[in-house]
């Protein structure tokens, strides 16, 4: 109720400003003011237009939308973390590996991404959104398991 009252007050104020501006413009052009009925018509028209726009904006921004935008924004950081996280244990995982093989293991995540993105649309069309998500989840879990159980750098590269 409070938000609605604030919106109505703002729309009324904006309508008054619009009517005053129109009256001033008319006075500059013809040296006559707008009639009271023209001012009221202009005031109510501007007020209704603004109120409709404010209500439309209020309906469009919902809690699920805010959560979805926040999650999508945070996922960008997760992607960066997934690309760079392998650098921390470089000296511990398979000591003696070359820097080229380690670089390939880190880059494999980014190299495979476009291919997965191209396949995702066709997979979603054929399996539906839920089916595609389940298949993608299992691929992700199997890849993580293979990385955990890897016996050499080549298995890590393939699993990524």
């Amino acid at each position: 109720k409070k938000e609605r009252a604030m919106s109505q007050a703002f729309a009324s104020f904006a309508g008054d400003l619009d009517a005053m501006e129109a009256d001033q413009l008319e006075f500059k052009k013809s040296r006559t003011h707008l009639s009271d009925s023209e001012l009221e018509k202009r005031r109510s028209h501007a007020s209704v237009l603004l109120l409709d726009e404010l209500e439309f904006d209020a309906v469009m921004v919902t809690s699920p939308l805010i959560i979805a935008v926040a999650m999508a924004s945070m996922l960008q950081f997760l992607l960066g973390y997934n690309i760079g996280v392998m650098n921390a244990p470089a000296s511990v995982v398979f000591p003696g590996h070359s820097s080229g093989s380690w670089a390939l293991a880190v880059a494999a995540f980014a190299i495979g991404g476009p291919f997965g993105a191209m396949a995702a649309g066709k997979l979603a069309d054929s399996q539906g959104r839920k089916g595609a998500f389940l298949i993608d989840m299992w691929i992700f879990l199997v890849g993580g398991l293979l990385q955990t159980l890897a016996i050499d750098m080549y298995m890590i590269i393939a699993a990524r």
Side-chain angles (χ1 to χ4, degrees):
K1 288 182 178 182
K2 192 176 194 179
E3 184 177 322
R4 173 84 173 149
M6 289 294 290
S7 295
Q8 286 176 337
F10 179 72
S12 176
F13 179 70
D16 289 342
L17 288 177
D18 183 63
M20 285 179 13
E21 181 181 12
D23 187 44
Q24 288 174 355
L25 289 173
E26 182 66 28
F27 186 75
K28 282 182 183 178
K29 281 196 281 183
S30 65
R31 294 284 182 215
T32 60
H33 290 282
L34 293 174
S35 68
D36 288 341
S37 64
E38 289 174 336
L39 283 172
E40 185 58 35
K41 181 180 174 185
R42 181 111 183 160
R43 192 177 294 124
S44 65
H45 181 69
S47 178
V48 167
L49 282 176
L50 187 58
L51 194 56
D52 283 346
E53 189 174 323
L54 287 171
E55 287 177 359
F56 182 72
D57 288 345
V59 171
M60 296 304 291
V61 179
T62 61
S63 296
L65 176 64
I66 292 170
I67 292 169
V69 168
M71 292 300 285
S73 300
M74 286 187 282
L75 288 176
Q76 298 306 311
F77 295 109
L78 181 61
L79 176 66
Y81 177 75
N82 280 335
I83 290 172
V85 74
M86 287 190 64
N87 294 330
S91 60
V92 178
V93 178
F94 306 117
H97 62 270
S98 69
S99 62
S101 66
W102 190 258
L104 188 57
V106 172
F109 182 78
I111 293 169
F115 297 107
M118 287 188 289
K122 292 178 183 167
L123 187 63
D125 287 342
S126 65
Q127 301 297 315
R129 186 175 54 193
K130 185 177 179 181
F133 179 73
L134 289 173
I135 291 169
D136 291 341
M137 179 192 65
W138 282 107
I139 291 171
F140 188 79
L141 289 174
V142 167
L145 183 64
L146 288 175
Q147 288 181 72
T148 303
L149 302 175
I151 55 175
D152 61 3
M153 281 302 290
Y154 299 110
M155 192 169 175
I156 288 181
I157 293 168
R160 285 203 35 106

